[in-house]
Amino acid sequence: MAQQEIPYKIYLEENEMPKAWYNVRADMKNKPAPLLNPATGRPMTAEELSGVFCRELVAQELNDTDREIPIPQEIRDFYRMYRPSPLVRAYCLEKKLDTPAKIYYKFEGNNTSGSHKLNSAIAQAYYAKKQGLRGVTTETGAGQWGTALSMACAYFELDCRVYMVKVSYEQKPFRREVMRTYGASVTPSPSMDTAVGRAINERFPGTTGSLGCAISEAVEAATTREGYRYVLGSVLNQVLLHQSVIGLETKAALDKYGIVPDVIIGCAGGGSNLGGLISPFMGEKLRGERDYRIVAVEPASCPSLTRGRFAYDFCDTGKVCPLAKMYTLGSGFIPAPNHAGGLRYHGMSSILSQLYHDGYMEAVSVPQTQVFEAAEYFARCEGILPAPESSHAIRAAIDEALKCRETGKEETIVFGLTGTGYFDMVAYEKFHDGKMEDYIPTDEELEKSFAGLPQIG
Ligand SMILES: *Cc1c(COP(=O)(O)O)cnc(C)c1O
């Protein structure tokens, strides 16, 4: 068969864009375990969940059966402003690596928020608006989720209240100003606005906050204010569902040229981009139609899949959220302060955790200096300045391509390039100045954290 010339960028036409999200749970024999009410130990009901989350999103969260969930026209219209995102053939990287492997990456950094998070933010804002709510609350760590949600809320004219981990609030003033440009109110957490924030400030004077604490504040702010709900940017089933747009576009673009990947790689924090990228491929795998290697890449400093326990745990440090069954390092686990960039979450999406547990995917962990080496290597040949999170996937893709150089195998590698790193230059600076350290938790530290897991099942 004649080899068709593959362009540098494979774009889809607007009419080739997905009209429905793909719900991988419908094809899973072992469904992800349900969220549990920490007070009763019983599965959270739709009614209980809808006090915190928007009604339609609760329905999506609990939907294990519908394979396709239509994307409302309003969301598809917004997607059209920045999607389809390109699937790029990394010709320059292949050449520099001198590898017979063919490398493709799906680039999600082409919107102002700079990452894939906008795909779910716009959906969540839409359902909040449709329910007639006044606004939403959330937390943000590094700031990508807060930025994406601010943009989405501005579009639907919703109030957006972001609790930003205090240390990031102070260290990332530009992120904060982008959010305020889109009309969000940004509060450093722990704040004095909420009971939980005041309690934490009193107990730990001068604390610079944590993601777990910001979640607790955002949940309180939503549940004590009329017309507000809480929204979350990763981990939840609904977020993976929205992010399936990444995988559906990737698959459609590959299919256009008859390309079948051997291995699909993505970075894993809470699991939303990876879950979204792999969903349609995983579906084929689950239905026994095709086989792919699927690899999750996580930081060695926060290794939930590779070294965590598969158990019920709290989703937040404040223990106000439902319990989720997942690979976890324990809700009290806090990654080393020198860990740069995101991917700091102690747990992992229940869907991905179940798939990993059942042997449908692999996981590797990489130390951060190797991640930044890969980031720089990639920036210098492919032109894009990658986010540190995304660079975990770059590292693993490069390692896979180097293996192909040894074996001569012409593998096709697809990886998710989730975003750009313009707001992460302090981390890049540390790397360039030789001041970046690799921190890997000891078994003793992890055991100590596992000891705090709730005793369930
Ligand atoms: C938030 C983020 C991630 C990690 O989150 P997941 O839910 O695991 O996808 C990865 N890359 C970028 C650029 C992000 O902003």
Side-chain angles (χ1 to χ4, degrees):
M1 198 171 74
Q3 184 74 29
Q4 206 173 352
E5 181 72 28
I6 310 292
Y8 271 70
K9 287 184 181 168
I10 307 177
Y11 278 107
L12 298 176
E13 303 296 331
E14 277 192 14
N15 63 11
E16 295 171 313
M17 286 172 62
K19 296 178 180 63
W21 291 300
Y22 166 64
N23 180 10
V24 71
R25 283 168 286 166
D27 284 313
M28 290 170 69
K29 268 192 221 80
N30 297 329
K31 307 292 182 195
L35 294 168
L36 297 185
N37 182 329
T40 61
R42 305 183 68 88
M44 293 287 290
T45 62
E47 197 176 314
E48 286 169 331
L49 285 169
S50 56
V52 181
F53 299 112
C54 304
R55 235 179 286 121
E56 193 73 28
L57 293 167
V58 169
Q60 293 180 358
E61 191 63 27
L62 299 176
N63 187 335
D64 282 350
T65 48
D66 292 327
R67 190 173 278 156
E68 293 201 334
I69 296 180
I71 308 174
Q73 187 62 47
E74 290 89 336
I75 299 174
R76 286 168 56 197
D77 288 343
F78 188 86
Y79 278 170
R80 286 221 294 266
M81 284 197 274
Y82 72 99
R83 307 198 69 83
S85 71
L87 180 72
V88 185
R89 174 78 183 266
Y91 280 117
C92 304
L93 180 64
E94 289 170 18
K95 194 164 167 217
K96 192 164 166 181
L97 289 169
D98 189 25
T99 175
K102 299 176 180 68
I103 310 174
Y104 296 85
Y105 57 89
K106 179 72 168 165
F107 181 46
E108 291 290 321
N110 262 341
N111 68 79
T112 295
S113 80
S115 82
H116 66 283
K117 292 201 171 70
L118 192 55
N119 301 332
S120 183
I122 195 65
Q124 298 197 44
Y126 167 78
Y127 291 115
K129 186 70 183 183
K130 198 174 148 215
Q131 192 174 327
L133 297 176
R134 288 181 49 209
V136 291
T137 71
T138 198
E139 75 292 333
T140 199
Q144 290 102 323
W145 168 245
T147 307
L149 189 68
S150 306
M151 290 177 70
C153 286
Y155 183 72
F156 285 120
E157 297 181 331
L158 276 171
D159 186 31
C160 179
R161 296 177 181 230
V162 181
Y163 288 85
M164 186 171 188
V165 178
K166 196 178 271 172
V167 60
S168 302
Y169 182 89
E170 283 159 5
Q171 286 178 359
K172 295 196 166 185
F174 298 148
R175 266 279 176 219
R176 187 177 79 209
E177 287 318 308
V178 177
M179 286 185 255
R180 292 177 65 201
T181 300
Y182 284 98
S185 73
V186 187
T187 306
S189 167
S191 73
M192 297 303 276
D193 297 8
T194 64
V196 60
R198 286 189 293 274
I200 290 168
N201 271 316
E202 197 167 301
R203 245 183 92 198
F204 307 101
T207 176
T208 53
S210 71
L211 206 52
C213 161
I215 294 176
S216 309
E217 281 206 277
V219 171
E220 181 183 323
T223 50
T224 54
R225 211 175 252 107
E226 187 69 28
Y228 282 78
R229 290 295 184 279
Y230 167 70
V231 295
L232 184 63
S234 184
V235 186
L236 296 175
N237 298 340
Q238 55 186 279
V239 184
L240 266 73
L241 174 74
H242 305 147
Q243 295 296 356
S244 70
V245 69
I246 304 173
L248 291 164
E249 281 184 12
T250 302
K251 185 143 192 332
L254 291 172
D255 285 349
K256 256 181 136 164
Y257 288 87
I259 304 160
V260 180
D262 295 292
V263 50
I264 303 164
I265 299 171
C267 65
S272 74
N273 87 82
L274 178 67
L277 173 66
I278 66 170
S279 273
F281 301 95
M282 184 59 85
E284 290 184 310
K285 200 168 156 140
L286 289 164
R287 296 190 300 270
E289 296 164 9
R290 219 166 220 166
D291 201 17
Y292 305 97
R293 273 182 62 213
I294 291 172
V295 184
V297 192
E298 55 185 17
S301 56
C302 193
S304 44
L305 284 173
T306 49
R307 294 176 67 197
R309 291 272 167 83
F310 189 43
Y312 267 106
D313 193 11
F314 291 95
C315 294
D316 61 323
T317 326
K319 303 184 178 183
V320 298
C321 294
L323 298 158
K325 189 170 181 194
M326 56 187 175
Y327 277 87
T328 178
L329 298 169
S331 64
F333 181 81
I334 296 178
N338 67 16
H339 172 65
L343 311 184
R344 312 174 62 94
Y345 189 60
H346 64 274
M348 181 60 59
S349 133
S350 289
I351 295 176
L352 291 188
S353 292
Q354 188 65 50
L355 290 168
Y356 178 65
H357 191 70
D358 292 342
Y360 287 104
M361 52 187 263
E362 307 163 27
V364 294
S365 73
V366 284
Q368 66 175 345
T369 50
Q370 290 182 24
V371 168
F372 277 81
E373 268 170 31
E376 201 177 75
Y377 192 90
F378 181 84
R380 289 181 188 181
C381 55
E382 289 291 321
I384 294 169
L385 180 77
E389 296 90 342
S390 324
S391 305
H392 288 72
I394 299 176
R395 175 77 258 170
I398 288 178
D399 289 344
E400 187 69 26
L402 289 174
K403 259 189 264 160
C404 293
R405 186 168 75 186
E406 298 303 311
T407 61
K409 258 173 93 178
E410 289 185 32
E411 271 186 0
T412 297
I413 302 167
V414 172
F415 74 90
L417 188 69
T418 50
T420 47
Y422 301 113
F423 291 103
D424 301 287
M425 296 324 287
V426 173
Y428 272 92
E429 181 186 36
K430 270 197 192 141
F431 174 68
H432 294 143
D433 291 345
K435 289 182 180 148
M436 178 167 278
E437 287 168 40
D438 290 324
Y439 181 80
I440 298 172
T442 62
D443 289 341
E444 289 73 29
E445 284 170 278
L446 292 184
E447 284 303 327
K448 237 173 100 183
S449 186
F450 294 145
L453 286 171
Q455 298 302 310
I456 284 163

